[in-house]
Amino acid sequence: MEEVIVAEGLTKVFGSLKAVDEVSFTVRRGEIFGFLGPNGAGKTTTINLLTTLMKPTSGRGLVAGYDIQREPQKVREKIGVLFQDITLDRELTGWENLWVHGLIHGIPRRLLRERIRELLAFVELEEWASHQVKRFSGGMQRRLQIAAALLHRPEVLFLDEPTLGLDPQSRNRIWDYILELRREGVTIFLTTHYMDEAERLCHRTAIIDHGRIIALGTPEELEKSLGSEMVYVKLASNSLQDAARMAEGLKNVEGCRVQMVKPGEISVSTIKASEAIPRIFEKAEGLAVKIREVTYHKPTLEDVFLHLTGRKLRDEEVSGMEAIRIRHRWWR
Amino acid sequence: MVSPASAAYVMWYRQVKRFVRARSRLVGSIFQPIFWMVFLGLGFTSALRGAPVFGGIDYLTFFAPGVVMMAVFFTAFFSGTSIIWDREFGFLKEILVAPASRTATILGRILGDVTIAMLQGVIILALALLMVPSLNLTGFPLVLAAAFFTALQFAALGTILASKLKSFEGFQLVNMLLAMPIFFLSGAFYPVDALPGPAALAAYLNPLVYGVELSRRALTGMGFLPLPTSLTILTASSIRHFLVAVWSFEKTTAE
Ligand SMILES: Nc1ncnc2c1ncn2[C@@H]1O[C@H](COP(=O)(O)OP(=O)(O)OP(=O)(O)O)[C@@H](O)[C@H]1O
Ligand SMILES: [Mg+2]
């Protein structure tokens, strides 16, 4: 299959900080490739390098067959970029922004008028065409930016955190647009720090942390790498000591791998949760630790990230509750 | 291939649209020169009546052609430096990642700044005529030429400054330290050829001096340099600044 983006040992150093550290990957034609990582992981910097906005310190990159350093002009002809922050001219109207964008991308005027109409309809902003962008809500600005990125029908689309900070409704809409593009076979490089976004939209995902790719595969592959199910155990007491004793005790229990220990909480990966859970209870009884709640579900990218880094992707998200598919509860 | 003409046009369009839309900026930039003429010009006219320094013309007649160029200068310079806001608000990235030739986009942008600055100059000139009907309007084409090159000069200088200084505080400081001396040492307020040594030297290095000189020459017939000299210096230095602006924009990255 044709490779549309190739990164080989791509590195970007800012002073003493390696923002992107020897990153290598390829994106095939028609694929949605995700970069999943926490704040400061180097996602935006990678996009800046691939879109010719910054020069790599070392390494090589090809986009649509062109070298990002030697043929930046050619690369620019092939790409569309949705930047993480708003890059619209807030004083201009929605229509004027698209007009400017279209002409600096070389779209002939008549065709441009037509495309602007089409895309304003696609992102459902027709009624706002003649309003200044500074009057738009965050979600509307994002949608207008998506329209701009698509206006010149780029061969490769870069989307930097397309739904960051948006309300669930706007988020769903943007997902629909991206899924529509996925059906049309547009090649997309997307960054996100939402698990569910990567799971839902991407064919393959790289997990990036401190500028390095620490895992890469389809969401299923990444999740399988952990074992097939995750069991979360909440203890009645909020003590780290109890959790640590439990973890210690579970070490030699067959089919259980402890992934995380926190005060009052541990998580265990296992092949079969239905068999592991009784053993966990047995152990708890033996150690005189009281269990308040046990949940289990298929591992999510969140679990993968946790497993690989020992940290959660987003602190405010409570153990990927939204991704829990099967949920069981016991009371003692 | 992106047509350079389209790219230049649309950047021009954007600069002009933004200016027209920013009503308060428009109004402010027209009232400020009027205040200068009314409060400073009229005041000195009566205080300095008969003083020989102004070559036999009254102060307001001396001052008005300079005010026209001052208006051109401020509008062009601040419009040029506004590229730093484009960086701050992200719009610059949109341009940097587009396949249009950078030379074409910056040319269009600067010509947009020149357009609004000249428009400004013409409005101020019209208002000046109401106060000083004796201004010689046959010099109008020369005033336009002076306004064009002065605007080009300072839109370019603003662009260069904004692409060199990325920290906003540093930029504001340099902006003040540069704009004020250029303004006061422009020859608009008093004849700079009468200044003592070092100050005269600074004045000769000030590109605004030649615009003011040409404007005054055109509208009153007064001046301290031969017309070809000031015209040559002004065009040469504005084209030079323009080329440096293009060159520095070519090298701009998002860093
Ligand atoms: N221009 C720059 N100069 C210096 N350091 C930078 C620059 N740009 C980014 N960095 C640093 O590089 C690291 C990676 O930043 P980057 O913006 O690529 O992360 P990110 O994964 O996009 O994060 P976020 O989720 O917050 O957008 C961060 O530590 C950041 O502070
Ligand atoms: Mg980012």
Side-chain angles (χ1 to χ4, degrees), chain A residues 53 73 86-87 89 96 101, chain B residues 14 18 21 89 94 99 254:
Chain A
L53 279 178
Q73 199 62 25
I86 299 296
T87 54
D89 187 325
E96 288 163 349
H101 183 95
Chain B
R14 174 203 179 230
R18 273 179 76 92
R21 209 150 277 165
F89 288 115
E94 197 72 34

Side-chain angles (χ1 to χ4, degrees), chain A residues 38-45 47 84-85 160-161 164 191 193:
Chain A
N39 287 331
K43 304 183 294 293
T44 299
T45 306
I47 286 197
Q84 180 172 348
D85 29 55
D160 198 357
E161 313 227 14
L164 185 66
T191 75
H193 56 222

Side-chain angles (χ1 to χ4, degrees), chain A residues 12 51 53-54 73 76-77 83 85-87 89 91-93 96 99-101 103-106 109 132, chain B residues 2 6 9-10 13-14 17-18 21 89-91 93-100 102 105 253-255:
Chain A
K12 181 69 184 179
T51 57
L53 279 178
M54 286 180 180
Q73 199 62 25
R76 288 178 202 138
E77 283 172 21
F83 292 102
D85 29 55
I86 299 296
T87 54
D89 187 325
E91 298 298 324
L92 298 186
T93 65
E96 288 163 349
W99 182 248
V100 171
H101 183 95
L103 288 184
I104 57 175
H105 282 84
R109 286 169 202 217
Q132 276 178 297
Chain B
V2 180
S6 277
Y9 153 75
V10 84
Y13 164 93
R14 174 203 179 230
K17 263 276 147 78
R18 273 179 76 92
R21 209 150 277 165
F89 288 115
F91 181 75
K93 280 194 222 161
E94 197 72 34
I95 299 169
L96 296 181
V97 87
R102 296 258 175 104
T105 50
T253 61
E255 278 163 84

Side-chain angles (χ1 to χ4, degrees), chain B residues 100-196:
Chain B
S101 118
R102 296 258 175 104
T103 306
T105 50
I106 197 64
L107 172 74
R109 194 183 198 285
I110 289 180
L111 287 182
D113 298 340
V114 168
T115 305
I116 57 187
M118 285 180 73
L119 193 72
Q120 197 83 29
V122 171
I123 294 173
I124 302 305
L125 179 58
L127 294 168
L129 272 172
L130 295 178
M131 297 174 73
V132 194
S134 64
L135 292 177
N136 173 19
L137 264 190
T138 55
F140 185 63
L142 184 57
V143 179
L144 278 189
F148 176 83
F149 286 108
T150 301
L152 182 66
Q153 173 107 273
F154 289 104
L157 198 63
T159 306
I160 297 166
L161 201 66
S163 55
K164 293 274 177 275
L165 296 164
K166 280 159 194 171
S167 104
F168 200 71
E169 291 71 25
F171 166 77
Q172 272 179 319
L173 184 70
V174 174
N175 212 356
M176 279 308 283
L177 291 181
L178 212 63
M180 282 303 132
I182 289 177
F183 171 61
F184 285 114
L185 212 60
S186 65
F189 296 93
Y190 48 81
V192 284
D193 53 320
L195 286 171

